[in-house]
Amino acid sequence: MPNFDFEALDATGRRETGVIEEATEQLAYRTLQQRGWTVYLLQEQRGPSSPTPYESRQKPLLPSEEQARLAELLSLLFSAGLTATQALSIAGSALTHRQTRQLIVRVQQHVADGSSLADAFDASYPALSPLFISFLRVDDTANRLSALLRVLAEYFRSVDETRRRVSAALIYPTILILAAIGLILIVTFYLAPNLEPVYQAVGAAPPKVLSSLLWLNAWVQDFTAEIFTGLVLLFVGAAALSRVRRVRRMGFATLARLPLIGEAIRFGALARLTYAMQLLLESGNPLVASLRTAADSLGSQHLFGSVFRDAAARVESGGRASEVFKGAQGIPEYYTEVLDIGERANRLSEVLPELARSLDQTARGRVDALVNLMAPVLTLLIGAGVGLLIYAIMGAILEVSSVAL
């Protein structure tokens, strides 16, 4: 049956887009209307590879924590012997996150239209990780899907924990920076203007530091509208660029080249790719599919994605994946050696967990070292800057006092 791209509005006015499979355009239109949607665009796909209006844009990704909760709940429901329809109905009422509930509603609609559970999740948004979709495609025999979803939930919680640790570590430096900025603003826009009349009264020129602050004060007041407009445009532009995959890839690659933090990013990304590949192999996927799906699972973080895809192509052509990893930049030598041994002995499923654990521990060590170094360094730098500023202002006050005497 043909596929039809559609765009519609639901009862609340929210825009819905996607693909529906029906025998004719009239049946597709009727099915969408039965959902309570107002259809304003419906057209048949002209080729199997033609992208849909929704697929041509980047789908928002459900947060890792919510993907972990969804995987845990589905694992519990499937282990109880519930069908996909029953499990989705319970999940929709049990989960409280707004985006997750919206996702479940859309998945239920696709399942009601005859789609499989994996296809329904893949066609809905917010999007799930390709790793999640791949697990849903596993045949639920001997309760394998339930057990694999529990392991997948642990993976997402591990990813979310790492992000939380980094975010928590940045709180103290952020407070220091904001406090320093606040002090500079107080001195520039309150203290310095109050000192200027004193110097004018005694006929003395203010010191260089005070003159610089007065110039900054006058410049900001003269160009307030332009500065505000520029900041808004800068913020909007940065937000727009951050949604472009190529820009995000470039930013991620730039960070990965920095000392210390770059090592943490490289080892962390490689650990997640390795862990994802191990989970996919355990779920019954062949090595080629595991390599490609693992590369897709990192989203915009394509630091080693091309390496994994090249390795998949090498395996398809009869070679070994380790042959590609040996010449890849940024991959440790021991990683390629252990991977080569695992491939030759056909024991990748046993080797990969140890590799991922070693890489993750290395990445955590780099993050801890960075955090432990960043806090005292920022404290010293900001303290020195604030101290010099206070010294200059106090010097100006004492100077004007001596001139007055």
Side-chain angles (χ1 to χ4, degrees), residues 20 78 86 92 97 107 131 135 168 217 238 241 254 260 274 308 325 359 366:
I20 186 172
F78 286 141
Q86 293 170 330
H97 191 266
V107 171
L131 188 62
F135 271 49
N217 188 338
L241 288 175
T254 302
L260 200 57
T274 305
F308 273 66
F325 285 98
L359 290 166
R366 297 294 191 275

Side-chain angles (χ1 to χ4, degrees), residues 102-164:
Q102 291 175 353
L103 172 65
I104 294 298
V105 170
R106 295 183 178 101
V107 171
Q108 287 177 306
Q109 293 168 347
H110 284 293
V111 171
D113 292 339
S115 299
S116 66
L117 186 63
D119 290 339
F121 271 105
D122 196 18
S124 303
Y125 64 96
L128 295 179
S129 166
L131 188 62
F132 203 130
I133 301 299
S134 179
F135 271 49
L136 291 175
R137 297 190 189 281
V138 175
D139 291 333
D140 192 13
T141 56
N143 210 24
R144 276 180 69 220
L145 180 57
S146 175
L148 288 171
L149 285 175
R150 283 196 297 271
V151 176
L152 184 65
E154 295 176 2
Y155 167 77
F156 283 121
R157 292 209 180 278
S158 174
V159 172
D160 188 63
E161 180 188 356
T162 301
R163 291 175 180 172
R164 288 179 180 272

Side-chain angles (χ1 to χ4, degrees), residues 154-305:
E154 295 176 2
Y155 167 77
F156 283 121
R157 292 209 180 278
S158 174
V159 172
D160 188 63
E161 180 188 356
T162 301
R163 291 175 180 172
R164 288 179 180 272
R165 289 176 67 251
V166 174
S167 299
L170 293 176
I171 292 177
Y172 177 66
T174 302
I175 292 175
L176 286 178
I177 293 174
L178 292 176
I181 293 174
L183 180 59
I184 292 173
L185 291 175
I186 291 173
V187 172
T188 302
F189 296 101
Y190 177 75
L191 187 57
N194 287 328
L195 287 176
E196 184 181 19
V198 179
Y199 277 92
Q200 292 175 348
V202 299
K208 291 183 178 180
V209 174
L210 185 59
S211 299
S212 300
L213 294 175
L214 291 171
W215 175 85
L216 179 61
N217 188 338
W219 182 78
V220 171
Q221 291 183 0
D222 291 340
F223 299 98
T224 302
E226 291 82 356
I227 293 173
F228 178 78
T229 304
L231 290 175
V232 170
L233 292 176
L234 181 64
F235 177 79
V236 173
L241 288 175
S242 67
R243 300 176 64 87
V244 179
R245 293 184 179 183
R246 183 176 180 182
V247 174
R248 294 171 65 180
R249 253 195 326 266
M250 292 172 58
F252 186 75
T254 302
L255 287 175
R257 295 189 186 98
L258 299 176
L260 200 57
I261 186 175
E263 292 183 355
I265 290 174
R266 291 196 301 271
F267 281 110
L270 191 56
R272 289 195 296 275
L273 280 166
T274 305
Y275 192 19
M277 183 168 64
Q278 172 228 333
L279 295 178
L280 290 163
L281 287 172
E282 288 184 356
S283 69
N285 285 279
L287 180 58
V288 173
S290 298
L291 286 165
R292 287 185 175 138
T293 305
D296 293 337
S297 68
L298 277 188
S300 63
Q301 300 177 0
H302 285 262
L303 187 60
F304 298 112

Side-chain angles (χ1 to χ4, degrees), residues 60-108:
L61 191 67
L62 197 68
S64 299
E65 182 180 2
E66 289 304 313
Q67 293 195 58
R69 290 176 181 169
L70 179 59
E72 286 177 343
L73 183 57
L74 289 179
S75 171
L76 176 63
L77 296 173
F78 286 141
S79 65
L82 299 180
T83 64
T85 303
Q86 293 170 330
L88 288 172
S89 178
I90 295 175
S93 59
L95 296 171
T96 57
H97 191 266
R98 181 179 60 85
Q99 289 184 321
T100 309
R101 293 173 70 94
Q102 291 175 353
L103 172 65
I104 294 298
V105 170
R106 295 183 178 101
V107 171
Q108 287 177 306

